[in-house]
């Protein structure tokens, strides 16, 4: 008997298809401005930023369709939102955007090696979850302050967006960020004046980027991007699947996402990885009450991503002509839920709260030591404190003289 019975089969198929389409639309609309802003901050031109977003859309679209259809499990893929947030804080390295593309390739190669070399996978998996969450929260803090800064600096533009988001939270929580994005588009369409030629070259196109490998970009971008993608996307993605009753073999998934990330890096795209937040839509009961019938959800999401890919170049040209703070404000609204989840995960265990707070403040400080950015030093600080406390190296109590 077919898995989909003839009577009611179409109705049962409609539920996961709609869930997958929703996951893709929410994932794209919530953070595409963040990805474009991050690539632009790394030195990409509007055409290169649009190419990067388009290439990642194509990659995750293909991954969602092929993998889920092959294994008949709701395995979801997405771009690295924490990775984009990290890129936005780093800025343009020595060597410009070609050096960023080289760093993307290094991060992709490390992800592939993680799937091939078991000790490396175990090392990444050994990073304490509270420390990884604290590092992510520290990276997100500055962006999540952007909506408040925007309200102070440009209230006429930012207040309607903030109010739309709040109203969306009250009446349609899942659509709050897409509603804010739509209002942002309306505000920008009525107030932004595109300079002559701004839309030239904005037709859908993939622009090759010749990677350049520099120590500065590899240390500041490549290595932290790898850690962020693994700790804040791939490992949580596996946890979401496990929580919904699916046990996956991580090594093959790391290999194919690393290869996909390497391919998109040649066109300016950053990491593709396992989905975490949107995976909950495709793998959860919302997709279908029967676990065995949820796999069409990621397939549907993949189709939607492929349909959205051609809009990337046009979106990049429009975003490039918009006030940067306003774009960051929308990205900040989209990341507030991620900040909440990261802080909750960082502070969940009492024994790791102090190391997690140290990681958080070190990462949020934005310091650079020896050309290495604050996320790395936050990770070092938190893990170092955990080791000190674990091995009983504690400060001696101060004598009161009594």
């Amino acid at each position: 008997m077919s898995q989909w019975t003839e009577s009611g089969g179409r109705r049962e198929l409609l539920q996961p298809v709609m869930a997958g389409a929703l996951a893709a639309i929410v994932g794209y609309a919530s953070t595409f401005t963040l990805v474009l802003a991050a690539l632009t901050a790394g030195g990409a031109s509007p055409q290169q930023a649009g190419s990067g977003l388009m290439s990642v859309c194509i990659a995750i679209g293909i991954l969602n369709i092929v993998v889920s259809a092959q294994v008949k499990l709701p395995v979801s893929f997405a771009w690295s939102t924490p990775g984009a947030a990290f890129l936005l804080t780093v800025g343009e390295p020595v060597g410009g955007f070609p050096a960023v593309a080289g760093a993307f390739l290094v991060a992709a190669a490390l992800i592939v090696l993680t799937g091939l070399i078991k000790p490396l996978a175990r090392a990444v998996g050994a990073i304490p979850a509270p420390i990884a969450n604290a590092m992510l929260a520290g990276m997100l803090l500055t962006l999540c302050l952007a909506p408040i800064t925007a309200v102070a600096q440009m209230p006429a533009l930012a207040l309607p967006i903030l109010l739309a988001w709040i109203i969306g939270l009250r009446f349609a929580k899942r659509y709050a960020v897409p509603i804010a994005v739509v209002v942002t588009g309306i505000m920008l369409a009525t107030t932004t004046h595109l300079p002559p030629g701004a839309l030239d070259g904005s037709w859908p196109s993939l622009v090759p980027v010749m990677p350049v490998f520099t120590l500065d970009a590899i240390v500041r971008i490549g290595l932290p991007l790898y850690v962020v993608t693994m700790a804040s996307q791939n490992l949580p993605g596996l946890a979401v699947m496990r929580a919904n009753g699916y046990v996956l073999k991580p090594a093959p998934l790391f290999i194919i996402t690393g290869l996909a990330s390497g391919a998109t890096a040649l066109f300016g795209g950053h990491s593709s990885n396992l989905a975490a937040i949107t995976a909950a839509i495709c793998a959860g009961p919302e997709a279908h009450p029967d676990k065995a019938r949820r796999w069409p959800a990621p397939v549907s999401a993949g189709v939607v991503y492929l349909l959205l890919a051609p809009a990337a170049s046009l979106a990049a040209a429009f975003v490039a002509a918009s006030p940067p703070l306003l774009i960051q404000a929308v990205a900040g609204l989209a990341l507030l839920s991620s900040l909440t989840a990261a802080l909750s995960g960082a502070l969940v265990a009492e024994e790791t709260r102090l190391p997690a707070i140290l990681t958080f403040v070190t990462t949020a400080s934005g310091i650079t030591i020896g050309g290495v950015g604050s996320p790395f030093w936050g990770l070092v600080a938190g893990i170092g404190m955990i080791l000190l406390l674990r091995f009983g190296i504690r400060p001696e109590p101060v004598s009161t003289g009594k």
Side-chain angles (χ1 to χ4, degrees), residues 35-402:
V35 174
L36 292 174
L39 295 176
T40 302
S45 67
Q47 292 76 21
Q48 289 172 325
S51 172
L53 178 59
M54 183 178 181
S55 67
V56 177
C57 281
I58 293 173
I60 62 179
I62 294 173
L63 286 172
N64 274 298
I65 293 171
V66 173
V67 175
S68 296
Q70 181 69 29
V71 301
K72 297 296 188 292
L73 294 173
V75 186
S76 299
F77 300 88
W79 57 59
S80 177
T81 298
F86 160 72
L87 290 171
L88 193 55
T89 66
V90 175
E92 184 175 352
V94 176
F97 194 61
V100 174
F104 288 169
L105 275 175
V106 171
L110 289 173
I111 294 173
V112 173
L113 289 175
T114 304
L116 294 174
I117 304 174
K118 291 183 179 180
L120 186 56
R122 286 196 295 268
V124 173
I127 297 175
I131 300 301
N133 279 303
M135 181 183 67
L136 175 59
M139 292 188 301
L140 297 180
L141 180 62
T142 302
L143 283 174
C144 290
L145 292 174
I148 309 304
T149 305
V151 168
Q153 295 187 12
M154 47 181 70
L157 291 176
L159 271 176
I161 298 169
L162 184 61
L163 290 175
W165 177 74
I166 293 172
I167 293 171
L169 282 179
R170 173 62 182 82
F171 296 103
K173 186 175 181 179
R174 183 175 298 157
Y175 303 98
V177 172
I179 289 171
V181 171
V182 170
V183 173
T184 303
I186 295 172
M187 299 297 295
L188 293 177
T190 56
T191 59
T192 301
H193 302 286
L194 295 175
L199 297 180
D200 291 349
S202 62
W203 293 104
S205 61
L206 293 174
V207 180
V209 179
M210 181 61 68
V212 172
F213 298 96
T214 67
L215 182 61
D216 175 62
I218 291 172
V219 173
R220 288 177 54 203
I221 298 176
L223 297 180
L225 179 61
Y226 162 70
V227 173
V228 168
T229 300
M230 293 300 299
S232 300
Q233 283 284 167
N234 282 334
L235 298 182
L238 292 171
V240 168
M241 294 296 291
R242 192 180 304 116
N244 284 283
Y246 304 97
V247 179
L248 304 177
K249 294 181 179 180
L253 297 174
F254 293 162
I255 292 171
I256 61 173
T257 54
L259 292 174
S261 298
T264 58
L266 300 176
F267 299 97
H270 73 307
S271 301
S272 303
N273 41 247
L274 288 170
I277 298 173
T278 54
I281 300 177
C282 294
E286 184 175 337
H288 199 282
D290 185 351
K291 291 198 309 180
R293 298 188 175 185
R294 296 174 189 169
W295 65 267
V299 175
S300 172
V303 172
V304 173
Y305 274 117
L306 291 178
L307 293 175
L308 290 170
S313 297
L314 183 61
F318 191 73
V319 167
S322 306
L325 180 58
L326 202 62
I327 300 302
Q328 292 176 18
V330 181
L333 291 176
L335 291 170
L336 278 174
S337 59
S338 297
L339 176 62
T340 302
L343 285 173
S344 298
L347 304 177
V348 66
E350 184 176 356
E351 62 271 17
T352 56
R353 281 178 189 167
L354 190 57
I357 288 295
L358 180 61
T359 299
F360 171 71
V361 296
T362 303
T363 304
S365 69
I367 61 170
T368 299
I369 302 175
V372 181
S374 60
F376 175 80
W377 296 117
L379 202 63
V380 170
I383 293 175
M385 178 169 279
I386 284 179
L387 293 176
L388 286 174
L389 296 176
R390 181 173 297 172
F391 288 103
I393 306 176
R394 302 173 185 271
E396 292 293 332
V398 177
S399 174
T400 61
K402 295 182 180 180

Side-chain angles (χ1 to χ4, degrees), residues 7-18:
S7 60
R10 291 183 180 179
R11 183 175 64 253
E12 290 189 346
L13 182 61
L14 181 63
Q15 185 176 354
V17 167
M18 292 301 295

